[in-house]
Amino acid sequence: MFLVAGLGNPGEEYVRTPHNLGFLTIDRLAERHGIRITRKDSKALIGLGEIEGHEVMLAKPQTYMNLSGTSLGPLMVKHSVPAGRLVVVYDELDLPWLTLRIKPKGSAAGHKGMISVIGNLGTSEVARVRMGIHPGRAIESGAEFVLAPVRRSQEKELDEFVSYAADAVRSIIAEGVAMAMTKFNRRAPGLHNEEA
């Protein structure tokens, strides 16, 4: 079974913020594949289903971003999911808005949610889908920026970006990380943001 986990913050006030792109991608996957994310398990909301013929658990940790690993670690142990079958989706301030990067492993690069995940799992050999959110202009406070709602003018781009990330996750499950990297490691197609 694959475990696809989106990182984010629970609560209505965070729904349309850059820091919740992981949650939004999980919601898009659930919608596309008829998976209901309603069950509480190991401090997460989860849903079980199938993507491309593979059994999949979709998860949204409810611990807040910086403690994501305290949910995913126990969830993986309970359901015997090896690290090689985990895919983590999250926002990345180090990447320009609308840029997507799949990585098969590596450091957390300062991302507190991934620091928590890697720390709890005891391995950095975790596939991840990083979704760029940097606006291409100076940001006074990264913490404030990631928790502020996405601008109304960016809603269409956000929707298309989330769909692109969901496609990338589907590709990882169906074809493996290497093939998915070849297909999806770029700016989301059809999206034009001159600032980024």
Side-chain angles (χ1 to χ4, degrees):
M1 176 168 67
F2 281 92
L3 171 57
V4 184
L7 304 190
N9 288 313
E12 281 299 313
E13 67 270 38
Y14 300 115
V15 171
R16 305 294 284 181
T17 63
H19 228 20
N20 272 38
L21 288 184
F23 275 15
L24 292 172
T25 302
I26 293 297
D27 289 341
R28 184 63 47 88
L29 285 163
E31 180 186 304
R32 284 183 179 176
H33 299 281
I35 299 171
R36 294 180 65 229
I37 304 174
T38 53
R39 204 167 107 204
K40 290 181 180 172
D41 192 336
S42 306
K43 299 179 187 168
L45 283 174
I46 68 160
L48 297 169
E50 200 175 277
I51 296 177
E52 297 294 324
H54 295 274
E55 190 182 355
V56 171
M57 177 188 293
L58 300 180
K60 294 160 65 174
Q62 301 295 292
T63 54
Y64 288 96
M65 173 69 80
N66 297 354
L67 297 173
S68 299
T70 61
S71 168
L72 294 184
L75 195 61
M76 291 173 70
V77 170
K78 181 176 177 180
H79 296 278
S80 303
V81 178
R85 287 273 173 146
L86 172 65
V87 180
V88 184
V89 186
Y90 58 95
D91 63 287
E92 181 59 80
L93 194 53
D94 288 342
L95 292 174
W97 172 241
L98 307 178
T99 300
L100 187 134
R101 288 284 179 276
I102 297 167
K103 285 180 67 179
K105 59 184 178 181
S107 76
H111 190 284
K112 290 180 179 162
M114 276 309 291
I115 289 170
S116 176
V117 171
I118 290 169
N120 274 271
L121 300 186
T123 179
S124 60
E125 306 252 329
V126 175
R128 73 273 324 247
V129 177
R130 301 160 66 217
M131 301 176 71
I133 61 170
H134 197 285
R137 55 180 164 76
I139 300 171
E140 280 184 35
S141 165
E144 285 181 20
F145 174 78
V146 299
L147 296 177
V150 172
R151 293 176 181 176
R152 194 169 290 176
S153 62
Q154 293 177 302
E155 283 289 335
K156 186 173 185 292
E157 287 182 336
L158 174 66
D159 187 60
E160 291 175 358
F161 193 24
V162 166
S163 285
Y164 189 69
D167 288 341
V169 170
R170 185 193 52 73
S171 177
I172 290 171
I173 292 168
E175 306 168 297
V177 174
M179 180 63 76
M181 287 171 68
T182 303
K183 288 184 174 181
F184 290 93
N185 276 6
R186 61 180 63 94
R187 291 281 295 254
L191 303 181
H192 305 287
N193 184 325
E194 299 306 321
E195 282 187 331

